[in-house]
């Protein structure tokens, strides 16, 4: 027997609508004259429309992977890095191979996501990905070979850390030294789901590491600035000098804080 919607409170109806009700229930709600019910129904319709838009954009960001899959390249790895700009800490790269049925609609360029959203998606990506590899280039290597080459080195290391050898790479704005075919894609983290997933893994991995460094060097506020040159960070450099994780070839460290 179907329950009459008039017997349900507005809060009960809201809860049911949040659980994706069947179409028959929604049809019956449309006949409910209560203003509060119609408000909840309108909110529900807007959520559906927003979700549908997310699905369309998600599918668009999966177009590069699907083309490679259709061409027989089953394992496609997206690659991205985090930490090119900071004054301290490593650059970290990630390589991610996603399954063909991957459906986390919120996966996008990590820079467009809140810290909490990145953390949540990071866990889900690690759970659902076919393979994840992480590469690391510390401040000493950055100073030795420059940040661009260090990022390339970290990306190569991330690919080599994958437990599945990819048949195709999609890389954000650069190429690495490998025999695996690679697509260099400008703004790839916003155009490819695999690269977006890699950007999240790289960013969160680096954030976690900077939290650890903050416990070693608390006066530099690494847990909040992630090594970037904030006022508090620069003040600490002036007072306490550089640490082993600072990039000595980066300005203003190179000209102002080295004796």
């Amino acid at each position: 027997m179907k329950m009459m919607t008039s017997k349900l409170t507005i809060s009960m109806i809201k809860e049911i609508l949040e659980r994706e009700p069947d179409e028959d229930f929604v049809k019956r709600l449309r006949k409910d004259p209560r203003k509060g019910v119609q408000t909840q129904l309108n909110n529900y319709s807007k959520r559906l429309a927003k979700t549908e838009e997310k699905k369309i954009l998600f599918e668009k960001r999966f177009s590069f992977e699907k083309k490679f899959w259709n061409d027989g390249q089953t394992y496609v790895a997206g690659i991205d890095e985090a930490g090119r700009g900071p004054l301290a800490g490593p650059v970290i790269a990630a390589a991610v191979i996603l399954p063909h049925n991957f459906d986390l609609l919120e996966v996008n360029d990590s820079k467009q996501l809140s810290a909490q959203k990145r953390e949540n998606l990071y866990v889900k990506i690690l759970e659902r990905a076919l393979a994840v590899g992480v590469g690391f280039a510390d401040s000493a290597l950055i100073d030795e070979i420059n940040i661009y080459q260090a990022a390339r080195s970290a990306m190569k290391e991330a690919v080599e850390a994958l437990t599945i050898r990819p048949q195709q790479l999609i890389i954000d704005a650069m190429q690495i030294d490998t025999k695996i075919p690679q697509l260099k894609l400008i703004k790839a983290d916003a155009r490819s789901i695999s690269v977006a997933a890699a950007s999240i893994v790289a960013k969160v991995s680096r954030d976690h590491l900077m939290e650890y460094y903050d416990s070693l060097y608390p006066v530099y506020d690494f847990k909040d600035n992630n090594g970037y040159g904030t006022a508090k960070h620069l003040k600490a450099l002036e007072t306490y000098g550089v640490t082993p994780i600072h990039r000595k070839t980066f300005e203003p460290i190179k000209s102002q804080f080295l004796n």
Side-chain angles (χ1 to χ4, degrees):
M1 182 177 176
K2 298 177 181 178
M3 181 180 293
M4 295 178 61
T5 61
S6 60
K7 300 291 185 181
L8 301 174
T9 64
I10 304 301
S11 60
M12 292 169 67
I13 288 172
K14 179 181 179 182
E15 185 178 343
I16 293 171
L17 287 174
E18 288 174 350
R19 297 199 304 262
E20 297 186 12
D22 60 51
E23 191 174 332
D24 180 67
F25 179 76
V26 174
K27 286 181 179 178
R28 284 184 284 126
L29 281 184
R30 292 196 178 102
K31 299 176 182 178
D32 192 313
R34 288 176 291 172
K35 183 177 179 180
V37 172
Q38 296 308 311
T39 297
Q40 293 303 322
L41 191 56
N42 185 49
N43 292 340
Y44 169 73
S45 297
K46 287 180 179 178
R47 286 199 303 274
L48 285 184
K50 190 172 183 179
T51 298
E52 188 59 32
E53 182 182 7
K54 282 184 178 180
K55 288 180 180 178
I56 293 170
L57 293 175
F58 180 86
E59 289 300 318
K60 184 177 180 180
R61 296 198 302 276
F62 237 157
S63 61
F64 292 101
E65 288 85 350
K66 287 184 176 181
K67 181 182 182 302
F68 290 128
W69 295 339
N70 290 335
D71 289 342
Q73 292 139 301
T74 302
Y75 301 117
V76 178
I79 308 167
D80 200 7
E81 49 74 29
R84 281 208 218 182
L87 303 180
V91 59
I92 290 184
V96 177
I97 300 176
L98 296 176
H100 296 196
N101 63 350
F102 187 76
D103 61 356
L104 288 177
L105 299 183
E106 293 176 306
V107 169
N108 205 338
D109 174 9
S110 64
K111 296 185 289 297
Q112 298 185 30
L113 305 171
S114 67
Q116 185 59 57
K117 179 63 71 176
R118 285 195 298 267
E119 287 283 350
N120 292 340
L121 289 171
Y122 169 79
V123 174
K124 293 177 181 178
I125 290 166
L126 294 186
E127 290 174 346
R128 302 188 190 188
L130 297 177
V132 175
V134 175
F136 177 97
D138 64 14
S139 55
L141 183 61
I142 292 169
D143 287 338
E144 179 183 349
I145 64 176
N146 75 49
I147 185 60
Y148 182 82
Q149 295 302 330
R152 291 181 71 230
S153 174
M155 287 179 167
K156 182 180 179 182
E157 185 176 293
V159 172
E160 292 173 345
L162 290 167
T163 55
I164 297 173
R165 180 176 173 81
Q167 298 159 303
Q168 175 68 46
L169 307 179
I170 304 175
I171 309 181
D172 188 18
M174 56 170 55
Q175 292 182 307
I176 61 175
D177 182 16
T178 180
K179 293 182 179 179
I180 302 172
Q182 51 193 305
L183 172 64
K184 176 182 176 180
L185 196 62
I186 303 301
K187 295 185 178 180
D189 45 9
R191 298 171 64 191
S192 159
I193 292 297
S194 296
V195 178
S199 78
I200 291 169
V201 173
K203 171 62 176 167
V204 175
S205 297
R206 189 177 190 279
D207 287 351
H208 290 173
L209 184 56
M210 294 309 294
E211 289 176 9
Y212 167 72
Y213 284 140
D214 184 78
S215 70
L216 299 181
Y217 312 106
V219 296
Y220 298 89
D221 197 32
F222 290 143
K223 71 180 186 303
D224 290 325
N225 61 42
N226 290 315
Y228 283 90
T230 62
K232 186 174 182 179
H233 186 178
L234 294 175
K235 180 65 176 176
L237 279 168
E238 185 178 332
T239 304
Y240 301 101
V242 300
T243 71
I245 70 164
H246 276 98
R247 302 173 182 181
K248 298 176 179 62
T249 54
F250 274 42
E251 294 291 359
I253 292 175
K254 182 178 179 181
S255 61
Q256 296 184 31
F257 300 111
L258 293 178
N259 296 325

